[in-house]
Amino acid sequence: MTIGSASTGGRALPLAMTGIAVLALGTGPLFALGTGLVLGSVPSERAGAAASMSETGNYLGGALGFALLGVLAAMVYRSRMDGTSDSPADAVAAGRHPPDGRGAALLHTAREAFTMACTSPASSPSSSSPASPY
């Protein structure tokens, strides 16, 4: 599934772009303010080290935030698959050569679980799991 696909009516791309713009406009001034506070609190001969530590902290926080979202999305996906596959790649591989002809149902469940994991990574992994056909 791609951003702006037919299933979302082409509304996903503008929604994603709006979200990114709001995020950038909201956090940009905070990063500038934080860097200014850090640089203003150290002697001028230590400004380079202070700026690098401030930038390192900003990037580390962003990376950890994305990692946490990835972990939450994986938890939602796995809970929705009820143990039938650990990843979308596993579901596609199993769906191509199912032992009892239920590949289409597995792929459908995997697509729905992946979509749910990507659209609501902050939701509880145990909330309203659909019944898996396996």
Side-chain angles (χ1 to χ4, degrees):
M1 179 183 262
T2 61
I3 292 179
S5 68
S7 66
T8 60
R11 293 171 294 178
L13 183 58
L15 184 63
M17 291 173 62
T18 302
I20 291 170
V22 168
L23 178 68
L25 292 173
T27 59
L30 292 176
F31 286 147
L33 177 64
T35 301
L37 288 172
V38 167
L39 292 177
S41 67
V42 297
S44 59
E45 61 270 3
R46 296 217 175 249
S52 66
M53 290 301 294
S54 175
E55 285 296 308
T56 301
N58 287 340
Y59 283 112
L60 179 64
L64 290 175
F66 278 120
L68 179 62
L69 287 176
V71 167
L72 290 173
M75 288 172 50
V76 170
Y77 176 82
R78 286 184 178 179
S79 71
R80 302 247 176 219
M81 288 302 294
D82 293 329
T84 57
S85 79
D86 288 335
S87 71
D90 290 344
V92 169
R96 286 186 180 152
H97 305 291
D100 53 2
R102 294 191 287 179
L106 175 63
L107 289 175
H108 178 72
T109 303
R111 280 188 195 104
E112 286 190 359
F114 183 76
T115 302
M116 181 59 69
C118 289
T119 57
S120 63
S123 68
S124 171
S126 61
S127 65
S128 68
S129 278
S132 174
Y134 301 95

